[in-house]
Every structure is written in structure tokens, then in C-alpha cells.
Amino acid sequence: MSIKIKSLTLGPFATNAYLIADTQTANAILIDPVDNAPAILTAARDEGWTIKLMIATHAHLDHVLASAAIKQALDIPFYIHKDCEALLAEIPMQGVFFGLGELPAAAQPDRLLASESETIELDAIQLQSLYTPGHAPGHLSFYLPDHKVLFSGDTLFAGSIGRTDLPGGDHALLMRSIIDKLMVLDDDVQVLPGHMGITTIGRERLTNPFLLAHDDGRA
């Protein structure tokens, strides 16, 4: 069983998109159809991969902006958590809120994921969804247990955590999500976040100031 992961950092918010491919079949899953559909499609084509499914960690505009264009180009299903529907419908106005002007609508989801853990499979790829709200309603992280890789979206970053000052944000809920769902993973699990670079669960457990403050009872 061979899996390859390719990351792309795109758009005005420098958001990470991830392509996960089964190298035997060359079929791939796209996590977070961020800004710039042509760049994502070109990256997959250059690798010789066929994107069969796209999923989003949450419905902030920088994580779903290319969803409609990719769906139109490839005619593939789009999955997102059920609590993201309202925010997803507001993508055009999210652009106005962030000073980007009115944006195109996001793709309509083909499947709404539940808060309970689900397994999303494509050939040898088995992604486990982890319900991690707090940064945004319906936020999901995705875990590849066989490869000890976590796609944390905007829940956990290297040395930081997701912001909670946007509508629907909840700092206490975010900390519970991180402690209850992510910090129970092994220290050597690689964390591939929605922004910035790769880290590990162990590194964040030992050095992340927000987690250390929480352990001290200060957050």
C-alpha cells in the first residue's frame, strides 16, 4: 500500500491544499479545494493523478473557493460536514467581509458528513474524519491512521491554533477539540495544517503556547 501526498499553498490567505494519491491506481483525494483551481488541476495532472473526490475541512472561503470550478471540470463529489451548509452558502458575502469583493458560489455538497467519526475510502486511502469544531462550525480534521498523518485544517498549527474571532468561533470549544481529538494521537503523528508548515503532535504537545497555557489552567 503506497500513498503519496502533495501540498500546494495558494490564494491571498496562503492556504494549504493537499492531494493524497494511491500510487498504484493514481487516483487521488483533494483535501480543501482552496483558491486557484487551475493550479490544483495542473498539479494533479503533472503527477499523473486523477482526482476522484474533494473534501473540505470547513467552509471558510479560503478552503472552498475553487470547489465549484473543480467540480465543473472533473464532475466529482464534494464532501463537507453538515454544520457547514449555512457558511458555505455565504461564500459570496464572505468575500465582501474580507475585502475581496463578491465571490463565486461554492460547489453544492454531494454528501454531508456527520459529527461521529466516518471513514472516507478511495482505493488504498482510508481517511478517518475527526470532528474538531471551534475555529468554525462543522470543522473536521482528517487522519490517515496507517500513515500517521493528520490533516488538521485550521484547528492546530505549528506553534498556534485556529482563530476564534470570526462568526461561529468558540475558543473553549476549539481547545476541547484539540485536547480530546488531536492530543490523544501519538507523538510521531505528522500534522499537515491548513496554513503554514508541517509539525507533529509531540512537538505541539511540548511547545505549543496555547496548549501549555491550557495545561496551566490559563486558557
Side-chain angles (χ1 to χ4, degrees):
M1 178 169 55
S2 182
I3 300 294
K4 184 175 179 181
I5 299 169
K6 183 177 182 65
S7 64
L8 301 93
T9 303
L10 301 166
F13 300 99
T15 308
N16 296 328
Y18 296 100
L19 290 163
I20 314 165
D22 178 329
T23 57
Q24 298 300 311
T25 65
N27 290 330
I29 295 176
L30 168 62
I31 295 182
D32 283 343
V34 308
D35 189 32
N36 199 333
I40 295 171
L41 296 173
T42 297
R45 185 169 58 248
D46 288 348
E47 294 284 349
W49 299 343
T50 301
I51 302 172
K52 294 289 190 179
L53 169 67
M54 60 178 169
I55 57 179
T57 55
H58 62 294
H60 283 155
L61 66 90
D62 56 319
H63 291 260
V64 296
L65 199 54
S67 59
I70 291 175
K71 189 178 179 72
Q72 181 177 20
L74 300 179
D75 191 24
I76 58 173
F78 175 42
Y79 297 176
I80 199 166
H81 189 272
K82 59 185 178 64
D83 291 346
C84 292
E85 278 195 292
L87 198 57
L88 195 67
E90 295 172 358
I91 292 299
M93 298 315 297
Q94 284 190 48
V96 174
F97 179 84
F98 283 102
L100 301 175
E102 188 166 341
L103 298 172
Q108 288 296 308
D110 298 277
R111 178 178 166 190
L112 296 173
L113 300 171
S115 301
E116 298 78 20
S117 178
E118 299 188 44
T119 299
I120 299 165
E121 297 186 62
L122 177 68
D123 300 334
I125 305 166
Q126 293 192 341
L127 278 171
Q128 179 184 354
S129 68
L130 303 176
Y131 182 53
T132 52
H135 168 70
H139 191 293
L140 293 171
S141 300
F142 297 101
Y143 182 45
L144 274 173
D146 290 341
H147 301 272
K148 301 193 112 175
V149 173
L150 172 74
F151 301 91
S152 63
D154 286 2
T155 297
L156 180 67
F157 303 121
S160 190
I161 60 173
R163 62 188 293 183
T164 55
D165 58 333
L166 297 174
D170 184 323
H171 179 79
L173 180 58
L174 176 64
M175 293 307 300
R176 287 201 301 274
S177 292
I178 294 171
I179 298 300
D180 294 346
K181 298 295 181 67
L182 306 188
M183 288 299 112
V184 296
L185 301 175
D186 292 341
D187 284 346
D188 60 346
V189 169
Q190 283 196 313
V191 179
L192 279 59
H195 301 272
M196 302 182 289
I198 296 172
T199 184
T200 66
I201 290 293
R203 184 181 304 154
E204 297 314 301
R205 197 191 313 279
L206 290 176
T207 65
N208 190 297
F210 294 92
L211 295 177
L212 296 174
H214 184 272
D215 289 343
D216 290 342
R218 292 183 282 116

